[in-house]
């Protein structure tokens, strides 16, 4: 047993899934697009890195300004005379007590040797104690906090992990010296500097140091330190507010996405199911939902599917009728040939045999032409869809056809090509849209039709005239004309109603049908009518109503072709 592996895999990957989840792929795509944009916006807002850095930078500048004021006051009250190169610890303690303590900032003053001489923490009794809540051993942290707070904390940990800040750890040093703090070392050299550290709880500790100097002589270094936990609290509060707004926006975006997806997905799903029914129903026409009232692309898709399926069903019906007509038309000559062969076996004289053989030969030629015309008609649609219309000069084309018919036809018929309605040099304006080979086929069929109905010594007139943006070509003969009740039927496939003199010409009845199909493919029209005595060449045929006795007899037939100018 042979298994087509490539085909099986191709069918596996390309087949349309029959069952889908509760949320369609298109709905998921709409939700994803909306969520991605909203999520990127929220992530950028929640990062708040620049906002936090700005707050810290502002706090550093504020501390530097405060430190410069305190350092200036200490320098102005320093000892005079030989001790002017040293700060007075007693006066400095008083200044620190009055200025620094109300700001809840820790101030430390170092002399030029780097020894700590004043610490604001030693001036407060009792000394402040900072406490932190710790979870009980073996017990999970409190889960009663808001889930928004927990979400914000999780996001903060993620940001800290993604954007780790390399901050030194702040540690308390007993008997501290200036060398323990780089910013104080810089201040004793006359520079102003600041640094951000973190305590054991991850909270920022901001320290700045400025030189205490008088007359450009450095007397010591003043270091101010403050805890910036309030900055992190401000950032956390902003994050919580943004998260709340984001969740509201997320809910609105989800609702709007579902509404939008429902307005698109459900109609498309209905159209897809209807298309499947069209594919599966073999015996009846499956209806397509009409959504033209939507006035949007889905409505346009519905209209297009309706028109497509209608055209498809019409084409199927036309193919079925064509197949039935072909079977009927082929069966007639086959029946005639079979009867002639059976009669040939019992024919007694040579004259009867010759007559039967003539019938057989005539039916064979008829079948040959019929099969050729059927083959051409079946390929016509595909060939017309692939062809591209081009400019065709109609008068030279007709002139060449007329010359060909004059040379090749045995019937004594006169051909007249009349272009009297054209202005001088007007042949250049008779350029139409089409394909030259197909237009030759059309006018050859029309001329052959006129020739088959024309009597001996008759005249076939071909007239060309402009009519607005159209070029009108009419072919007239002097035959018996068309039956008034069959003016439109002459364009039906396999229809033929010929006089005795034209019955043996072997016409299949497809010529006029093929001609109309080609002309309409190029945006033109073709019309059949009768000519009457006294009627101008451009007049239409007589009405097909009225009593037979009141209707004048036609003096010929006219086939009129209208083609668009190029």
């Amino acid at each position: 047993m042979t298994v087509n592996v490539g085909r099986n895999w191709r069918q596996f990957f390309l087949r349309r899934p029959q069952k889908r989840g509760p949320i369609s792929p298109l709905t998921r795509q709409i939700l994803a697009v909306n969520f991605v944009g909203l999520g990127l916006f929220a992530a950028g807002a929640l990062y708040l890195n620049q906002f936090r850095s700005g707050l810290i930078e502002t706090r550093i500048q504020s501390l530097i300004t405060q430190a410069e004021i305190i350092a200036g006051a200490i320098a102005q009250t320093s000892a005079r005379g030989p001790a002017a190169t040293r700060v007075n610890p007693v006066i400095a303690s008083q200044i620190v007590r009055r200025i620094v303590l109300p700001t809840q900032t820790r101030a430390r003053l170092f002399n030029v040797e780097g020894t700590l001489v004043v610490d604001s923490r030693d001036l407060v009794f009792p000394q402040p104690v900072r406490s932190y809540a710790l979870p009980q051993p073996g017990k999970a942290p409190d889960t009663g906090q808001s889930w928004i707070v927990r979400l914000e904390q999780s996001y903060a940990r993620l940001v800290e992990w993604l954007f780790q800040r390399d901050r030194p750890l702040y540690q308390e040093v007993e008997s501290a010296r200036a060398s323990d703090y780089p910013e104080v070392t810089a201040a004793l050299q006359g520079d102003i500097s600041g640094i951000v550290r973190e305590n054991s709880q991850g909270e920022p500790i901001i320290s700045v140091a400025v030189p205490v100097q008088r007359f450009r002589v450095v007397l010591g270094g003043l270091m101010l330190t403050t805890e910036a936990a309030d900055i992190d609290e401000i950032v956390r509060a902003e994050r919580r507010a943004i998260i709340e707004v984001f969740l509201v926006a997320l809910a609105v975006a989800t609702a709007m996405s579902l509404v939008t997806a429902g307005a698109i997905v459900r109609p498309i799903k209905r159209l897809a199911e209807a298309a499947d029914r069209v594919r599966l129903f073999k015996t009846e026409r499956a209806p397509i939902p009409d959504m033209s009232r939507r006035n949007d692309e889905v409505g346009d898709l519905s209209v297009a599917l309706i028109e497509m399926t209608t055209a498809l069903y019409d084409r199927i019906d036309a193919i079925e009728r064509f197949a039935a007509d072909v079977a009927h038309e082929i069966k007639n000559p086959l029946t005639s040939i079979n009867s002639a062969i059976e009669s040939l076996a019992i024919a007694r004289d040579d004259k009867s045999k010759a007559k039967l053989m003539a019938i057989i030969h005539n039916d064979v030629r008829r079948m040959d032409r019929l099969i050729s015309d059927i083959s051409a008609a079946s390929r016509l649609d595909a060939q017309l869809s692939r062809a591209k219309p081009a400019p065709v000069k109609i008068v030279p084309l007709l002139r060449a056809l007329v010359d060909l018919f004059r040379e090749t036809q045995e019937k004594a018929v006169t051909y007249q090509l009349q272009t009297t309605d054209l202005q001088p040099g007007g042949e250049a304006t008779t350029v139409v849209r089409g394909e030259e080979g197909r237009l030759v086929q059309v006018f050859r069929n029309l001329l052959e039709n006129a020739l088959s109905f024309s009597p001996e010594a008759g005249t076939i007139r071909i007239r060309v005239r402009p009519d607005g943006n159209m070029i009108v070509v009419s072919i007239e003969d002097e035959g018996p004309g068309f039956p008034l009740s069959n003016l439109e039927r002459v364009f039906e496939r396999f229809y033929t109603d010929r006089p005795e003199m034209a019955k043996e010409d072997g016409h299949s009845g497809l010529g006029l049908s093929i001609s109309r199909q080609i002309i309409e493919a190029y945006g033109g029209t073709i019309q059949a009518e009768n000519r009457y005595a006294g009627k101008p060449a451009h007049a239409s045929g007589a009405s097909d109503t009225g009593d037979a006795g009141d209707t004048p007899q036609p003096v010929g037939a006219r086939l009129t072709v209208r083609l668009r100018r190029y």
Side-chain angles (χ1 to χ4, degrees), residues 63-89:
L63 280 179
I64 290 175
T65 301
Q66 183 180 352
E68 288 178 340
I69 294 173
I70 298 172
I74 294 174
Q76 291 297 325
T77 59
S78 60
R80 290 175 173 79
T85 58
R86 292 181 177 274
V87 296
N88 190 329

PDB file of all heavy atoms in Angstrom, residues 63-89:
ATOM      1  N   LEU A  63      19.381  69.565  49.995  1.00  0.00           N
ATOM      2  CA  LEU A  63      20.314  69.321  51.090  1.00  0.00           C
ATOM      3  C   LEU A  63      21.591  70.133  50.928  1.00  0.00           C
ATOM      4  O   LEU A  63      22.156  70.638  51.906  1.00  0.00           O
ATOM      5  CB  LEU A  63      20.633  67.831  51.168  1.00  0.00           C
ATOM      6  CG  LEU A  63      19.599  66.932  51.865  1.00  0.00           C
ATOM      7  CD1 LEU A  63      20.065  65.472  51.831  1.00  0.00           C
ATOM      8  CD2 LEU A  63      19.369  67.372  53.298  1.00  0.00           C
ATOM      9  N   ILE A  64      22.081  70.243  49.689  1.00  0.00           N
ATOM     10  CA  ILE A  64      23.304  71.024  49.459  1.00  0.00           C
ATOM     11  C   ILE A  64      23.076  72.481  49.832  1.00  0.00           C
ATOM     12  O   ILE A  64      23.917  73.127  50.482  1.00  0.00           O
ATOM     13  CB  ILE A  64      23.759  70.880  47.998  1.00  0.00           C
ATOM     14  CG1 ILE A  64      24.274  69.459  47.743  1.00  0.00           C
ATOM     15  CG2 ILE A  64      24.838  71.902  47.661  1.00  0.00           C
ATOM     16  CD1 ILE A  64      24.632  69.183  46.304  1.00  0.00           C
ATOM     17  N   THR A  65      21.929  73.011  49.447  1.00  0.00           N
ATOM     18  CA  THR A  65      21.629  74.406  49.797  1.00  0.00           C
ATOM     19  C   THR A  65      21.554  74.570  51.311  1.00  0.00           C
ATOM     20  O   THR A  65      22.105  75.532  51.890  1.00  0.00           O
ATOM     21  CB  THR A  65      20.306  74.825  49.154  1.00  0.00           C
ATOM     22  OG1 THR A  65      20.396  74.671  47.740  1.00  0.00           O
ATOM     23  CG2 THR A  65      19.987  76.276  49.490  1.00  0.00           C
ATOM     24  N   GLN A  66      20.862  73.632  51.977  1.00  0.00           N
ATOM     25  CA  GLN A  66      20.759  73.695  53.428  1.00  0.00           C
ATOM     26  C   GLN A  66      22.134  73.569  54.071  1.00  0.00           C
ATOM     27  O   GLN A  66      22.463  74.296  55.037  1.00  0.00           O
ATOM     28  CB  GLN A  66      19.832  72.581  53.920  1.00  0.00           C
ATOM     29  CG  GLN A  66      19.592  72.592  55.425  1.00  0.00           C
ATOM     30  CD  GLN A  66      18.662  71.460  55.843  1.00  0.00           C
ATOM     31  OE1 GLN A  66      18.097  70.779  55.012  1.00  0.00           O
ATOM     32  NE2 GLN A  66      18.510  71.279  57.146  1.00  0.00           N
ATOM     33  N   ALA A  67      22.960  72.669  53.561  1.00  0.00           N
ATOM     34  CA  ALA A  67      24.297  72.480  54.125  1.00  0.00           C
ATOM     35  C   ALA A  67      25.162  73.719  53.924  1.00  0.00           C
ATOM     36  O   ALA A  67      25.954  74.085  54.814  1.00  0.00           O
ATOM     37  CB  ALA A  67      24.965  71.264  53.492  1.00  0.00           C
ATOM     38  N   GLU A  68      25.049  74.377  52.768  1.00  0.00           N
ATOM     39  CA  GLU A  68      25.841  75.578  52.536  1.00  0.00           C
ATOM     40  C   GLU A  68      25.447  76.688  53.497  1.00  0.00           C
ATOM     41  O   GLU A  68      26.299  77.450  53.999  1.00  0.00           O
ATOM     42  CB  GLU A  68      25.672  76.038  51.087  1.00  0.00           C
ATOM     43  CG  GLU A  68      26.380  75.137  50.079  1.00  0.00           C
ATOM     44  CD  GLU A  68      26.140  75.589  48.650  1.00  0.00           C
ATOM     45  OE1 GLU A  68      25.147  76.329  48.423  1.00  0.00           O
ATOM     46  OE2 GLU A  68      26.920  75.211  47.757  1.00  0.00           O
ATOM     47  N   ILE A  69      24.144  76.793  53.772  1.00  0.00           N
ATOM     48  CA  ILE A  69      23.700  77.820  54.728  1.00  0.00           C
ATOM     49  C   ILE A  69      24.266  77.534  56.119  1.00  0.00           C
ATOM     50  O   ILE A  69      24.796  78.420  56.802  1.00  0.00           O
ATOM     51  CB  ILE A  69      22.159  77.881  54.762  1.00  0.00           C
ATOM     52  CG1 ILE A  69      21.625  78.376  53.422  1.00  0.00           C
ATOM     53  CG2 ILE A  69      21.680  78.780  55.901  1.00  0.00           C
ATOM     54  CD1 ILE A  69      20.128  78.314  53.298  1.00  0.00           C
ATOM     55  N   ILE A  70      24.168  76.286  56.561  1.00  0.00           N
ATOM     56  CA  ILE A  70      24.663  75.927  57.892  1.00  0.00           C
ATOM     57  C   ILE A  70      26.179  76.082  57.952  1.00  0.00           C
ATOM     58  O   ILE A  70      26.747  76.608  58.928  1.00  0.00           O
ATOM     59  CB  ILE A  70      24.235  74.499  58.246  1.00  0.00           C
ATOM     60  CG1 ILE A  70      22.709  74.402  58.283  1.00  0.00           C
ATOM     61  CG2 ILE A  70      24.825  74.059  59.569  1.00  0.00           C
ATOM     62  CD1 ILE A  70      22.197  72.989  58.440  1.00  0.00           C
ATOM     63  N   ALA A  71      26.871  75.620  56.877  1.00  0.00           N
ATOM     64  CA  ALA A  71      28.327  75.740  56.865  1.00  0.00           C
ATOM     65  C   ALA A  71      28.765  77.201  56.900  1.00  0.00           C
ATOM     66  O   ALA A  71      29.750  77.556  57.566  1.00  0.00           O
ATOM     67  CB  ALA A  71      28.894  75.041  55.632  1.00  0.00           C
ATOM     68  N   GLY A  72      28.017  78.061  56.192  1.00  0.00           N
ATOM     69  CA  GLY A  72      28.357  79.485  56.222  1.00  0.00           C
ATOM     70  C   GLY A  72      28.178  80.077  57.595  1.00  0.00           C
ATOM     71  O   GLY A  72      28.999  80.889  58.064  1.00  0.00           O
ATOM     72  N   ALA A  73      27.098  79.679  58.285  1.00  0.00           N
ATOM     73  CA  ALA A  73      26.874  80.191  59.636  1.00  0.00           C
ATOM     74  C   ALA A  73      27.961  79.714  60.585  1.00  0.00           C
ATOM     75  O   ALA A  73      28.453  80.470  61.441  1.00  0.00           O
ATOM     76  CB  ALA A  73      25.506  79.754  60.130  1.00  0.00           C
ATOM     77  N   ILE A  74      28.341  78.436  60.452  1.00  0.00           N
ATOM     78  CA  ILE A  74      29.405  77.914  61.323  1.00  0.00           C
ATOM     79  C   ILE A  74      30.726  78.622  61.057  1.00  0.00           C
ATOM     80  O   ILE A  74      31.478  78.962  61.971  1.00  0.00           O
ATOM     81  CB  ILE A  74      29.531  76.390  61.146  1.00  0.00           C
ATOM     82  CG1 ILE A  74      28.265  75.682  61.652  1.00  0.00           C
ATOM     83  CG2 ILE A  74      30.753  75.849  61.866  1.00  0.00           C
ATOM     84  CD1 ILE A  74      28.239  74.193  61.378  1.00  0.00           C
ATOM     85  N   ALA A  75      31.022  78.873  59.778  1.00  0.00           N
ATOM     86  CA  ALA A  75      32.280  79.532  59.433  1.00  0.00           C
ATOM     87  C   ALA A  75      32.326  80.951  59.965  1.00  0.00           C
ATOM     88  O   ALA A  75      33.386  81.438  60.405  1.00  0.00           O
ATOM     89  CB  ALA A  75      32.477  79.514  57.923  1.00  0.00           C
ATOM     90  N   GLN A  76      31.208  81.655  59.954  1.00  0.00           N
ATOM     91  CA  GLN A  76      31.183  83.045  60.427  1.00  0.00           C
ATOM     92  C   GLN A  76      31.371  83.128  61.936  1.00  0.00           C
ATOM     93  O   GLN A  76      31.839  84.133  62.457  1.00  0.00           O
ATOM     94  CB  GLN A  76      29.853  83.701  60.030  1.00  0.00           C
ATOM     95  CG  GLN A  76      29.699  83.930  58.544  1.00  0.00           C
ATOM     96  CD  GLN A  76      30.739  84.905  57.992  1.00  0.00           C
ATOM     97  OE1 GLN A  76      31.149  85.869  58.666  1.00  0.00           O
ATOM     98  NE2 GLN A  76      31.175  84.630  56.765  1.00  0.00           N
ATOM     99  N   THR A  77      31.018  82.115  62.637  1.00  0.00           N
ATOM    100  CA  THR A  77      31.137  82.149  64.110  1.00  0.00           C
ATOM    101  C   THR A  77      32.368  81.411  64.589  1.00  0.00           C
ATOM    102  O   THR A  77      32.470  81.084  65.785  1.00  0.00           O
ATOM    103  CB  THR A  77      29.890  81.531  64.737  1.00  0.00           C
ATOM    104  OG1 THR A  77      29.749  80.180  64.276  1.00  0.00           O
ATOM    105  CG2 THR A  77      28.646  82.324  64.385  1.00  0.00           C
ATOM    106  N   SER A  78      33.261  81.043  63.681  1.00  0.00           N
ATOM    107  CA  SER A  78      34.476  80.338  64.101  1.00  0.00           C
ATOM    108  C   SER A  78      35.364  81.268  64.900  1.00  0.00           C
ATOM    109  O   SER A  78      35.243  82.498  64.834  1.00  0.00           O
ATOM    110  CB  SER A  78      35.225  79.803  62.882  1.00  0.00           C
ATOM    111  OG  SER A  78      35.598  80.887  62.034  1.00  0.00           O
ATOM    112  N   ALA A  79      36.297  80.713  65.622  1.00  0.00           N
ATOM    113  CA  ALA A  79      37.177  81.502  66.486  1.00  0.00           C
ATOM    114  C   ALA A  79      38.055  82.427  65.656  1.00  0.00           C
ATOM    115  O   ALA A  79      38.393  82.138  64.508  1.00  0.00           O
ATOM    116  CB  ALA A  79      38.042  80.569  67.324  1.00  0.00           C
ATOM    117  N   ARG A  80      38.406  83.569  66.269  1.00  0.00           N
ATOM    118  CA  ARG A  80      39.268  84.536  65.614  1.00  0.00           C
ATOM    119  C   ARG A  80      40.667  84.441  66.217  1.00  0.00           C
ATOM    120  O   ARG A  80      40.862  83.891  67.291  1.00  0.00           O
ATOM    121  CB  ARG A  80      38.702  85.941  65.777  1.00  0.00           C
ATOM    122  CG  ARG A  80      37.413  86.159  64.955  1.00  0.00           C
ATOM    123  CD  ARG A  80      36.823  87.527  65.232  1.00  0.00           C
ATOM    124  NE  ARG A  80      35.716  87.811  64.344  1.00  0.00           N
ATOM    125  CZ  ARG A  80      34.506  87.358  64.468  1.00  0.00           C
ATOM    126  NH1 ARG A  80      34.214  86.569  65.478  1.00  0.00           N
ATOM    127  NH2 ARG A  80      33.563  87.669  63.607  1.00  0.00           N
ATOM    128  N   GLY A  81      41.554  85.056  65.539  1.00  0.00           N
ATOM    129  CA  GLY A  81      42.923  85.060  66.016  1.00  0.00           C
ATOM    130  C   GLY A  81      43.631  83.784  65.632  1.00  0.00           C
ATOM    131  O   GLY A  81      43.380  83.202  64.576  1.00  0.00           O
ATOM    132  N   PRO A  82      44.546  83.334  66.457  1.00  0.00           N
ATOM    133  CA  PRO A  82      45.329  82.146  66.114  1.00  0.00           C
ATOM    134  C   PRO A  82      44.464  80.912  65.923  1.00  0.00           C
ATOM    135  O   PRO A  82      44.826  79.998  65.216  1.00  0.00           O
ATOM    136  CB  PRO A  82      46.258  81.979  67.313  1.00  0.00           C
ATOM    137  CG  PRO A  82      46.336  83.321  67.950  1.00  0.00           C
ATOM    138  CD  PRO A  82      45.026  83.970  67.736  1.00  0.00           C
ATOM    139  N   ALA A  83      43.290  80.851  66.579  1.00  0.00           N
ATOM    140  CA  ALA A  83      42.401  79.674  66.457  1.00  0.00           C
ATOM    141  C   ALA A  83      41.412  79.788  65.322  1.00  0.00           C
ATOM    142  O   ALA A  83      40.439  79.038  65.270  1.00  0.00           O
ATOM    143  CB  ALA A  83      41.660  79.467  67.776  1.00  0.00           C
ATOM    144  N   ALA A  84      41.638  80.715  64.410  1.00  0.00           N
ATOM    145  CA  ALA A  84      40.671  80.939  63.320  1.00  0.00           C
ATOM    146  C   ALA A  84      40.665  79.819  62.317  1.00  0.00           C
ATOM    147  O   ALA A  84      39.811  79.779  61.451  1.00  0.00           O
ATOM    148  CB  ALA A  84      40.975  82.266  62.632  1.00  0.00           C
ATOM    149  N   THR A  85      41.600  78.897  62.398  1.00  0.00           N
ATOM    150  CA  THR A  85      41.628  77.776  61.460  1.00  0.00           C
ATOM    151  C   THR A  85      40.858  76.579  61.962  1.00  0.00           C
ATOM    152  O   THR A  85      40.907  75.514  61.382  1.00  0.00           O
ATOM    153  CB  THR A  85      43.079  77.370  61.192  1.00  0.00           C
ATOM    154  OG1 THR A  85      43.691  77.022  62.432  1.00  0.00           O
ATOM    155  CG2 THR A  85      43.829  78.494  60.512  1.00  0.00           C
ATOM    156  N   ARG A  86      40.138  76.737  63.049  1.00  0.00           N
ATOM    157  CA  ARG A  86      39.360  75.644  63.623  1.00  0.00           C
ATOM    158  C   ARG A  86      37.928  76.105  63.883  1.00  0.00           C
ATOM    159  O   ARG A  86      37.690  77.277  64.135  1.00  0.00           O
ATOM    160  CB  ARG A  86      39.976  75.150  64.932  1.00  0.00           C
ATOM    161  CG  ARG A  86      41.316  74.446  64.745  1.00  0.00           C
ATOM    162  CD  ARG A  86      41.849  73.967  66.080  1.00  0.00           C
ATOM    163  NE  ARG A  86      43.079  73.227  65.900  1.00  0.00           N
ATOM    164  CZ  ARG A  86      43.140  71.921  65.619  1.00  0.00           C
ATOM    165  NH1 ARG A  86      42.010  71.232  65.499  1.00  0.00           N
ATOM    166  NH2 ARG A  86      44.287  71.316  65.467  1.00  0.00           N
ATOM    167  N   VAL A  87      37.000  75.166  63.796  1.00  0.00           N
ATOM    168  CA  VAL A  87      35.614  75.475  64.118  1.00  0.00           C
ATOM    169  C   VAL A  87      35.426  75.363  65.616  1.00  0.00           C
ATOM    170  O   VAL A  87      36.146  74.616  66.311  1.00  0.00           O
ATOM    171  CB  VAL A  87      34.645  74.527  63.380  1.00  0.00           C
ATOM    172  CG1 VAL A  87      34.744  74.721  61.896  1.00  0.00           C
ATOM    173  CG2 VAL A  87      34.936  73.068  63.743  1.00  0.00           C
ATOM    174  N   ASN A  88      34.469  76.121  66.125  1.00  0.00           N
ATOM    175  CA  ASN A  88      34.154  76.075  67.554  1.00  0.00           C
ATOM    176  C   ASN A  88      33.050  75.052  67.765  1.00  0.00           C
ATOM    177  O   ASN A  88      31.899  75.278  67.367  1.00  0.00           O
ATOM    178  CB  ASN A  88      33.710  77.456  68.020  1.00  0.00           C
ATOM    179  CG  ASN A  88      33.603  77.528  69.537  1.00  0.00           C
ATOM    180  OD1 ASN A  88      33.292  76.546  70.197  1.00  0.00           O
ATOM    181  ND2 ASN A  88      33.850  78.721  70.077  1.00  0.00           N
ATOM    182  N   PRO A  89      33.319  73.897  68.397  1.00  0.00           N
ATOM    183  CA  PRO A  89      32.299  72.868  68.544  1.00  0.00           C
ATOM    184  C   PRO A  89      31.076  73.318  69.316  1.00  0.00           C
ATOM    185  O   PRO A  89      29.948  72.910  69.008  1.00  0.00           O
ATOM    186  CB  PRO A  89      33.029  71.746  69.280  1.00  0.00           C
ATOM    187  CG  PRO A  89      34.476  71.972  68.997  1.00  0.00           C
ATOM    188  CD  PRO A  89      34.640  73.464  68.937  1.00  0.00           C
TER     189      PRO A  89
END
